[in-house]
Amino acid sequence: MINFTAIDLEGQEHKLQAKPDERLMEVLREHDWGVAAICGGMCSCATCHVWVNEEWLERFPPKDADEEELLEFLDHFQANSRLSCQLILQPQHDGLKVTLAPEE
């Protein structure tokens, strides 16, 4: 199992677990405080927007053009913004820390 921390919109830390090859979005949307993930992971709505702690960014593949385009139009876009539907968790992500971005 991959252990990681998610910080919700109220600043509360949650310790979570995921299986290898599971999308971060799938774990986060299971919780009332989690992401909406309205499009179900199709990279078309940005309702699974998170901020990945800087030290973890390079452990994921870079954003593709579709993800980059969606993120750039968000009011809460930051350099460490990612769509959690595009982040597939692997053992090297054990210890990951993400913060849910405010809803648009």
Side-chain angles (χ1 to χ4, degrees), residues 16-48:
L16 301 170
Q17 290 187 321
K19 298 174 189 154
D21 297 320
E22 193 168 14
R23 292 181 187 275
L24 179 59
M25 174 210 70
E26 293 168 345
V27 180
L28 295 176
R29 74 176 173 186
E30 293 177 11
H31 303 278
D32 291 338
W33 52 264
V35 297
I38 292 171
C39 74
M42 301 301 294
C43 193
S44 63
C45 71
T47 60
C48 66

Side-chain angles (χ1 to χ4, degrees), residues 58-85:
E58 292 183 11
R59 297 186 196 193
F60 289 102
K63 300 171 205 159
D64 66 16
D66 290 337
E67 181 181 7
E68 187 73 43
E69 186 176 321
L70 275 171
L71 288 169
E72 286 179 349
F73 290 103
L74 299 177
D75 292 336
H76 301 288
F77 173 77
Q78 297 181 8
N80 62 335
S81 287
R82 292 298 305 260
L83 297 179
S84 60
C85 67

